[in-house]
Each structure stands twice: as C-alpha cells, then as structure tokens.
Amino acid sequence: MIIIGSDHTGIELKNKIKDYLKENQRRFIDVTDFPDQTGDDYPDIAQIICKQVLKNDSNIGIAICGTGIGISIVCNKIKGIRAALCVDEYMAEMSRRHNKANVLCLGARLKYFERFENVETILDAFLNSFYDGGRHDVRIQKISDIDKAKGGV
Ligand code: RB5
C-alpha cells in the first residue's frame, strides 16, 4: 500500500500525485486529508506518514513538504524508516535498489516539479524499482544497528 501525505505546502502536488496513482491503478491511503492544514508543521506530518508506513513491510510512503528537506530530515529520525529525497529518476531508482528506501520525499515548491511529467518520472522509478539485496544487506543492517543503538521514536 502507498501511504501519501503532505504539509500545507504540498496539498496541490499531493492531489496531482493521487490522480496519477488512480490513473495507474495504484492503491493508496492519504493520511493527511484534513479539512484545514493551515499552519501545520512538517515534523508532525512526517510522523503521521511514517507511523502508517511502518505498519506493513510492503508499505511505501510518499511524503511532501515545500523543499522535501524538512520532511526527509524528520522521516529519517524514525526507527525503521529509510527516506529518500529525490530530484531525479536515477536517485529514485537507486534509493529503492541500494538503500531499500521505504519513503519517497518530494519538494512541492521545486521549479523543476512545475512540469508534472518530472514528478511522474520519479514516481515511476521509485514505485517500479525493488531492493537488490545481496551486497547491500550488510549496509542496510548497519543502518538498522544505528536505529537500535539510538533508541528514539
Ligand atoms: C513550510 O513553510 C516549509 O518550511 C516546509 O514545507 C518545508 O519546506 C521545510 O523543509
């Protein structure tokens, strides 16, 4: 299942992505479909999204804020989350194949994303790529070890 959410800056982009996911018969849940998001804060939004992502190993998150930076910082503080802030197709593919990313972070205010086709390319690369395993396992285990040592959320 795809878990999608945004802060107030990303509502428009989120809605376009939802339409795109529908067109492509992708199942998703919008966990930030609130009547009023005025002045919400990306740290809260990141936690709402990640909590849902962690409910199932096969879940994937799409987390949006203005730059994608704030939300990715917070997502990556949550145990079990490997969030990737991607601005091109290559990053999106490799984040899945090598980093086993389970959350894609996007910046709604990026000039580059004014062309929605650029977002589509990143979404396709992320959603159609899968973890390579093999030599990457030891690295992913090291990330989990840091999570464990840290305690936290
Ligand atoms: C909100 O104004 C903005 O700071 C937020 O969406 C994000 O870009 C932070 O990184």
Side-chain angles (χ1 to χ4, degrees):
M1 180 68 75
I2 298 167
I3 314 297
I4 188 165
S6 76
D7 75 357
H8 57 281
T9 68
I11 297 170
E12 197 183 320
L13 179 61
K14 181 188 71 177
N15 287 335
K16 282 189 193 163
I17 292 175
K18 281 164 65 176
D19 289 343
Y20 183 70
L21 294 174
K22 272 182 217 155
E23 277 165 29
N24 287 279
Q25 284 85 43
R26 299 268 193 185
R27 291 170 61 229
F28 65 87
I29 303 170
D30 180 354
V31 287
T32 61
D33 189 15
F34 308 127
D36 182 12
Q37 283 194 256
T38 318
D40 65 2
D41 298 317
Y42 60 83
D44 303 319
I45 300 298
Q47 289 183 77
I48 292 168
I49 298 164
C50 292
K51 197 173 161 195
Q52 201 65 36
V53 169
L54 290 169
K55 285 190 175 166
N56 193 308
D57 273 356
S58 63
N59 284 348
I60 279 182
I62 300 176
I64 307 163
C65 72
T67 56
I69 296 172
I71 209 148
S72 67
I73 290 173
V74 182
C75 289
N76 277 316
K77 290 194 179 298
I78 298 169
K79 212 187 262 185
I81 295 295
R82 290 173 301 277
L85 172 57
C86 297
V87 293
D88 78 7
E89 186 182 358
Y90 179 73
M91 291 172 83
E93 179 185 338
M94 298 319 281
S95 73
R96 294 280 288 151
R97 291 183 50 196
H98 287 193
N99 313 118
K100 207 180 181 182
N102 51 7
V103 176
L104 169 67
C105 297
L106 296 170
R109 289 175 170 165
L110 269 63
K111 199 149 188 51
Y112 180 64
F113 287 162
E114 283 170 15
R115 275 193 77 233
F116 188 68
E117 291 79 6
N118 292 334
V119 179
E120 288 177 2
T121 308
I122 291 174
L123 285 173
D124 289 347
F126 194 84
L127 298 174
N128 296 327
S129 302
F130 299 92
Y131 179 52
D132 282 354
R135 72 182 193 280
H136 302 289
D137 281 346
V138 66
R139 296 158 187 167
I140 299 305
Q141 186 55 51
K142 285 181 181 184
I143 297 174
S144 303
D145 292 345
I146 294 169
D147 268 350
K148 272 184 216 133
K150 241 181 17 176
V153 194

